[in-house]
Amino acid sequence: VKAAPPAAPAIDAASAKRALAALRAAVGKDWVFASDDAALDTYRDAYAIAPPADTRPWAAVAPANLKQLRKVLEAARRHKLTLWPLSTGRNLGYGGAAPRQAGAVMLDLKRMKRIIEVNETLAYAVVEPGVSYLDLAARLAKLGGRLWVDSTASPWGGPLGNFLERGVGYTPYGQHAETQCGLEAVLADGTVVDTTANGRAKTAHLYRYGHGAWLDGLFNQSNFGIVTRIGVQLMPAPAGYRPYLVTLAAEDDLGALVEALRPLGLDGRLAGRPTLMSLARAAAYGVTRAECQPGSGPLRADTETRLIAEHALGHWNLYGALYGAEAVIDASVGELEHAVRAVPGARLHFAATRAGDAAFQCRAALMGGTPSMDEYRTLDWVGAGAHLDFTAVLPFDGDAARAASRVAREVCHAHGFDYCAEFQLEARALRLEVRVVFERDVGARQCAAHATLAALGARFASMGHGSPRAHLAFMDDTAATFKRGDDALMRSCEAVKDVLDGQGVLAPGKSGLWPGRYTHRRK
Ligand code: ADP
C-alpha cells in the first residue's frame, strides 16, 4: 500500500483543549467525541484497505440543526480545524465513514434527519443529510405508497449523501443528480445559500432553474460547502411493472447486446436503468465462492459452465424492468424481444421462471421502488467480505464495452480476484462498476484490493475513460486523469475554493481539490 495521505495540521495540547471546548459549546458535550471516546472508532471505513491509523480522525462532532452547525463552523474557523462532513456515513466501497486525512474532525450530520416535506400531489420530498432511503421509504409507505423511492443497493445510505457522490439507483429515477431539485448549503464562513432563492420560491423543488448562474452542481462532489437539505423528485407508483432478465450464452455477446439495446436507450424505450452483470457478480447473490470452486484463483471455465447450468444464468445477465399499464408493458416486451433476438443465444426471462433466484428478487425489489439490503449477501462470496468499487463511464457502444470489460477482467484476475462487474445502462453512456470483493480486514487482501484499484484507474485512464466517483484513497489520482493542457478546470475549482473557503476548513483533498494552504498538494 502506498504512503498514507497527509495528516491534517496538528494542534498543540492547549489549543486542542480550547477547540474541544468550543465544539462542546456548539453542540453540547454529549455530541463531541474525542480521542478517549470509543465512539470515535465508528468513524472508519468498515471495508478499509489501509491501516486505521492512516485515516484516524482527531474528533467527531454531531450538530442537531443548522444553528448548531454554524456554531461548529465558527469553532472550526477560530481553532483552525479541518472538518470532514458525513451524511449517513455509508459511502461503502469508496472509503466509508473515514476522512481523507488522519487528524480531521468528522462533521457527522446524521442527527439532522428531518423529512421536511413530502408533496404527494407534485411528487417530491425535501430531506436533510441524515435521512436514509429506508427512512424515506417508511414515510412514503405510511402515506399509502403512491410514491416510490429510488434507492441504491445500500439503502441505509440516504438521498442527500448519494446525490453528492453522484450515486445511482435502478428505477427510471435512478440518475440521482437529475432528480435532485433545489438545495440549501452552508459555506465555511457560515453563509446559508438557498439555490431556490432566485425567483422560484413556488417551484423550488419542481423546476431546477431560477435565473442567472445555476449553483446546485457547485456543491456536488466538491468541498465548497456543507449541504443541509435537498429536494428529491419522486416517481409516482406506476400502474404496473414487470422485471426481466436477459442472459447471454457467450462472453463476447456483450458487444452485440449493447449494440442491440442502443436504439432503445437513445429514444427512451429502455425503461429505467438496467444493469448488466458479469457471471460472478450475479452468482454471488445465491452461492459462495467456496461452494463453486475450492482453492484460490479466478473461476475456471468449467466452473463457469456449471454455474450457468445450475442457476440458469448467463455469462452476462441484464436485469431490467418495464413500467406502466399492462398494454404498454406488453408493447415494450415486444421491442425488447426484438432487440434480444439480434443476439444469438440470448434469452429473456420473467419473474415466473425466476422464483428462488436471489439476484432476480433483489434487483426486482430495487427496480420496483422497494429498498433491499440483499445486495450485502454478495459479500459472502469470500466469507466475511468487503468491497472496493471502481467506476468508469464509457460510450454506449459494443466495442467499447467489450474492450473495457476485457481489461477489467484481466486486471481483476491478475490480482487474484474474480471478475465482479456491472454495466449500468443510461441513454448514451455505460457506467461500468468493477467490484473487488475481498476478505475483510485481511492485510494481504487489502493490499491486493488497493493494487487492483490503482491498476484499473491507470488502465482506464490510458483508454480515455474517466471515473465519475473516486474512493477516498484515489481522489488525487482520479483528479489527475482529468488534467488537460493548462489544467484550467482544476485551477478554476481552486480559485472558487479560495473564495468560498480560503482558510481550507472544509474537506481538504475532496475530489483531489486542496485548499490553498496545502500548496504542496496543488500541482
Ligand atoms: P451517504 O449518506 O450516502 O452514506 P456519506 O455520508 O458517506 O454518504 O458521504 C459521502 C461523501 O459525501 C463524504 O465522503 C463527504 O465527502 C460528502 N458529504 C456527505 N455529506 C455531505 C454534506 N452534507 N455536505 C457536503 N459533503 C458531504
Side-chain angles (χ1 to χ4, degrees):
V1 175
K2 68 177 188 178
I11 45 177
D12 62 71
S15 314
K17 211 169 155 192
R18 283 196 297 274
L20 286 173
L23 291 176
R24 289 186 179 116
V27 300
K29 65 177 175 28
D30 291 344
W31 298 102
V32 176
F33 310 112
S35 58
D36 52 354
D37 207 316
L40 193 60
D41 294 338
T42 61
Y43 297 97
R44 58 183 285 268
D45 182 6
Y47 301 155
I49 48 167
D54 286 5
T55 54
R56 170 119 179 123
W58 177 68
V61 55
N65 51 45
L66 185 60
K67 195 168 160 203
Q68 290 189 0
L69 170 56
R70 294 181 74 210
K71 284 189 184 157
V72 169
L73 285 166
E74 193 184 320
R77 288 194 306 274
R78 177 158 334 129
H79 298 279
K80 303 196 166 37
L81 305 174
T82 62
L83 299 174
W84 188 269
L86 287 182
S87 283
T88 64
R90 306 288 184 182
N91 195 22
L92 296 165
Y94 293 94
R100 259 215 74 174
Q101 300 176 289
V105 176
M106 304 307 289
L107 176 60
D108 182 348
L109 302 170
K110 270 199 279 313
R111 293 175 71 209
M112 295 176 65
K113 57 174 185 190
R114 286 181 305 156
I115 298 175
I116 293 166
E117 181 185 0
V118 175
N119 187 316
E120 289 200 276
T121 311
L122 289 160
Y124 68 83
V126 182
V127 297
E128 290 191 323
V131 175
S132 70
Y133 288 109
L134 294 169
D135 296 334
L136 186 55
R139 171 69 71 85
L140 297 178
K142 215 184 243 174
L143 290 172
R146 284 182 293 280
L147 297 175
W148 278 11
V149 59
D150 182 281
S151 174
T152 67
S154 176
W156 47 7
L160 191 147
N162 194 265
F163 153 68
L164 289 180
E165 271 302 294
R166 295 195 198 145
V168 292
Y170 306 95
T171 76
Y173 279 47
Q175 182 45 272
H176 293 163
E178 285 167 14
T179 52
Q180 172 269 337
C181 191
L183 62 76
E184 176 190 83
V186 190
L187 306 182
D189 69 0
T191 304
V192 179
V193 181
D194 176 356
T195 67
T196 71
N198 268 5
R200 58 180 182 115
K202 288 186 176 157
T203 55
H205 308 294
L206 307 176
Y207 187 74
R208 304 183 85 200
Y209 313 102
H211 175 75
W214 181 57
L215 296 189
D216 294 49
L218 200 61
F219 298 100
N220 187 276
Q221 249 184 37
S222 76
N223 49 14
F224 298 146
I226 310 290
V227 178
T228 45
R229 67 168 71 169
I230 61 167
V232 190
Q233 297 181 340
L234 301 169
M235 178 169 163
Y241 100 109
R242 199 179 299 171
Y244 65 84
L245 164 66
V246 177
T247 52
L248 296 188
E251 177 62 39
D252 260 357
D253 288 344
L254 168 67
L257 182 67
V258 167
E259 288 295 305
L261 293 175
R262 185 174 52 235
L264 300 185
L266 274 177
D267 67 11
R269 285 175 293 146
L270 193 60
R273 299 183 73 261
T275 307
L276 183 54
M277 289 192 181
S278 70
L279 175 60
R281 175 87 175 80
Y285 285 88
V287 288
T288 67
R289 192 178 192 290
E291 285 165 349
C292 302
Q293 180 180 297
S296 57
L299 295 184
R300 294 185 309 266
D302 61 310
T303 310
E304 292 192 344
T305 306
R306 190 161 33 80
L307 259 179
I308 286 170
E310 285 174 8
H311 299 277
L313 286 169
H315 279 282
W316 285 96
N317 304 276
L318 178 76
Y319 297 91
L322 303 168
Y323 302 85
E326 282 296 294
V328 174
I329 291 181
D330 287 341
S332 305
V333 168
E335 291 178 329
L336 190 61
E337 278 171 344
H338 180 75
V340 168
R341 265 200 299 277
V343 187
R347 282 197 55 201
L348 181 58
H349 314 251
F350 292 99
T353 58
R354 305 307 297 189
D357 174 344
F360 190 86
Q361 305 302 330
C362 173
R363 303 315 295 193
L366 289 170
M367 292 185 296
T370 305
S372 165
M373 292 290 285
D374 284 355
E375 180 70 23
Y376 284 90
R377 290 161 62 162
T378 63
L379 301 184
D380 297 342
W381 182 244
V382 294
H387 70 97
L388 196 59
D389 295 345
F390 171 79
T391 305
V393 205
L394 329 169
F396 202 129
D397 174 273
D399 287 342
R402 271 201 328 194
S405 184
R406 220 175 285 133
V407 167
R409 177 188 297 269
E410 184 188 306
V411 171
C412 290
H413 286 185
H415 291 85
F417 294 106
D418 293 307
Y419 181 47
C420 295
E422 68 183 42
F423 286 95
Q424 298 154 1
L425 280 52
E426 311 220 334
R428 289 175 170 75
L430 304 172
R431 232 176 107 116
L432 172 60
E433 188 183 280
V434 184
R435 172 157 291 189
V436 180
V437 181
F438 62 100
E439 293 80 349
R440 197 166 167 170
D441 295 329
V442 177
R445 302 301 279 165
Q446 291 174 316
C447 287
H450 188 287
T452 311
L453 228 68
L456 285 167
R459 293 288 295 274
F460 274 75
S462 73
M463 290 190 290
H465 298 318
S467 180
R469 185 173 184 183
H471 186 284
L472 293 184
F474 291 94
M475 286 182 163
D476 291 330
D477 302 292
T478 306
T481 65
F482 283 91
K483 198 168 173 172
R484 295 281 178 280
D486 63 356
D487 205 18
L489 189 56
M490 185 52 105
R491 286 193 295 109
S492 305
C493 292
E494 288 172 352
V496 174
K497 180 70 176 169
D498 289 344
V499 170
L500 296 185
D501 180 19
Q503 202 182 316
V505 171
L506 301 180
K510 171 80 180 174
S511 303
L513 179 57
W514 293 90
R517 69 180 155 121
Y518 295 78
T519 43
H520 60 292
R521 305 299 302 179
R522 286 195 171 179
K523 305 274 183 329

